[in-house]
Amino acid sequence: MGCVVVRRLPDGTARPVGRAHNGTESLKDPTAHAEVLAITQAAADVGDWRLTDCALYVTKEPCPMCGGAIVLGRLALVAWAASDPKRGAHTVFGMFSHPGLNHHPATLFPVGGPEILAELQGFFRDLRRERG
């Protein structure tokens, strides 16, 4: 999984302020999802936990934990290439439009094309084969 957080600047340009890949296995940390790591970097770069002028782009739809971080961080937009029909924060739990939450980021999915979904599916297929 890969994630980038991009900040819209006052002059209309944008720049990356956080980027990460999934570190759950390498860091032995169940919270080390790409989104959480990229949001942490973005907040440090921006100097505020409110990321209202930022957009998050990620390979696969965020899980509920990452969805919570997106809502709490007040990100303006979250975009992903492949939805997660088993545990997607938006697809399954409706977190980004839930009336009980205080922030509702705009969503954009799927981004990219079928080749991105095919590559992601191939990655997970190969991973399952390696693990037996």
Side-chain angles (χ1 to χ4, degrees):
M1 296 302 118
C3 180
V4 63
V5 176
V6 177
R7 184 178 191 196
R8 186 183 63 251
L9 302 175
D11 66 4
T13 61
R15 72 175 180 87
V17 292
R19 65 183 75 164
H21 63 276
N22 192 322
T24 302
E25 293 293 331
S26 62
L27 297 172
K28 307 296 184 230
D29 179 354
T31 68
H33 290 198
E35 299 93 328
V36 171
L37 299 174
I39 289 170
T40 299
Q41 286 181 13
D45 183 277
V46 169
D48 194 351
W49 61 268
R50 294 173 195 87
L51 301 172
T52 57
D53 54 0
C54 294
L56 181 142
Y57 299 88
V58 65
T59 312
K60 186 175 158 208
E61 179 180 2
C63 72
M65 176 185 69
C66 296
I70 290 163
V71 169
L72 291 172
R74 315 287 200 281
L75 283 101
L77 170 75
V78 58
W80 60 87
S83 293
D84 184 348
K86 290 185 180 176
R87 53 193 163 270
H90 183 68
T91 303
V92 177
F93 298 100
M95 289 181 71
F96 301 137
S97 59
H98 193 284
L101 295 176
N102 65 330
H103 177 70
H104 304 108
T107 56
L108 180 61
F109 63 94
V111 293
E115 65 279 357
I116 294 174
L117 179 58
E119 189 169 330
L120 188 61
Q121 289 171 331
F123 170 80
F124 283 110
R125 184 176 46 251
D126 294 346
L127 189 62
R128 284 191 296 275
R129 282 187 197 140
E130 287 176 16
R131 291 183 178 171

